[in-house]
Structure formats: C-alpha cells, structure tokens
Amino acid sequence: QIAPGSTIFLDAGTTVLQLARRLRLNPLPLSVFTNCLNTAQVLMNTPGIKVVLLGGQLRAENASMVGALAEAMIENLWFDQLFLGAGAIAPDACIYSLDASEAQLNQKMLARAASTLLLVDSSKFDQRLTYRVAPLDKGLTVISDEQLSDSWWARLREQGCTTLQASSQGIAAQDTPA
C-alpha cells in the first residue's frame, strides 16, 4: 500500500508500530513523519527511510507527542498517506480515543493527508472511549484482521470505506464478508 518515494505519517499505536517494524525489514525510500518515539526508534538508521519526529508534550501511555507544538507542526505539512491507529471503533461508526490531546492531533492528521489507512485490530470494534476523532466514511481505507465480524465488514463498506483484511499471509481486499 506504500509507494516508494512517498511521504507518510505513522501515528502512535501498537498496530501502526507493527507496520514500522515491517518497513524496517523491507525498507523503501520514504519520508516518514511520526509522533511516536517507539516508531522513530524502530525506523532510525533504516536505509532509505528519512524519519521526522514531531515535537510536543510526551504522552507516556503510548510514547507519543501531542499538544499545541505537535499540532502546529502538522499544520505546515502534507502527507501522501496517513496510517492511523484507533483506541476504539464505537457502534456509531466513529473512531474514538482515550485522550483529548491525541484525538485533537488525530483530527489534524486526517486533514493533512491525501489518503488515510486505518490500522485497527478486531478487538477495538464495538468499544467506546471518551473522545471522538472522526466518523468512518468514504475515502477511508480500513485494514483489520480476519477476526472482525462479517457484520462490521459489511457496515464499513456501507459507510463508504475501502476494506482490506490482514492475515499472516498479507493483506487482501475484503469484498465479501469472511
């Protein structure tokens, strides 16, 4: 899903961190922006990958940078792709976060990317957290695992999302319920 030579943003979160680990094993020439210390460390010194870490207030819960400084940096950037994690996907078909600053920064990330890929495992669906980030809607690509229910796959497509299913063999289009 990533084109060589592109500029991408990798959000903080465990699922997105797995993508960073994959990029370290199979590097591409990329500019990678992130607000996650762990992601920056994983990609540090990876051939062909230029890493830029946002500044801001350190959120210890997931080693991410949030707050006014991080938001100000985002305002001056543009990304070919945003790879966004999610704390929860609620029954109202919206993305939610546990932290207000993280939710606000995620909203700004969404506004600064040509395309967004939501990397979210099935355990996050039908969960609720406090702060709304954004609705699941047209233009969003949702990548989840094979444990996601058929009803959620169908619902994502009804919302206008492109759906891809990740497995140990790779990623495939999820055109019909599993």
Side-chain angles (χ1 to χ4, degrees), residues 1 3 6-7 27 31 34 42 51 58 61 64 72-73 100 113 115-117 146 154 163 166 172 178:
Q1 300 295 314
S6 61
T7 299
S31 292
T34 187
V42 165
V51 179
L58 178 61
E61 293 84 356
S64 67
M73 284 185 75
S115 69
T116 300
L117 293 91
E146 50 213 358
T163 57

Side-chain angles (χ1 to χ4, degrees), residues 1 15-16 18-19 22 117-122 125 141-148 153 156 162-175 178:
Q1 300 295 314
T15 309
V16 177
Q18 294 306 314
L19 173 59
R22 178 78 182 250
L117 293 91
L118 181 67
L119 306 180
V120 59
D121 70 78
S122 58
F125 285 79
T141 298
V142 179
I143 302 174
S144 192
D145 59 82
E146 50 213 358
Q147 305 300 354
L148 187 61
W153 285 120
L156 290 168
T162 300
T163 57
L164 299 172
Q165 185 179 82
S167 72
S168 57
Q169 283 72 44
I171 296 178
Q174 220 293 332
D175 293 327

Side-chain angles (χ1 to χ4, degrees), residues 9 11-12 35 54-62 64-72 74 84 96-110 130-133:
F9 193 99
D11 177 39
N35 67 322
L54 295 188
Q57 179 182 346
L58 178 61
R59 184 171 177 261
E61 293 84 356
N62 64 353
S64 67
M65 306 305 285
V66 296
L69 290 174
E71 291 173 26
I74 288 284
L84 184 67
Y96 283 85
S97 174
L98 186 60
D99 183 80
S101 295
E102 182 178 73
Q104 190 165 331
L105 183 61
N106 288 166
Q107 290 167 354
K108 295 203 180 288
M109 290 173 190
L110 286 162
T130 308
Y131 301 95
R132 183 178 179 269
V133 174

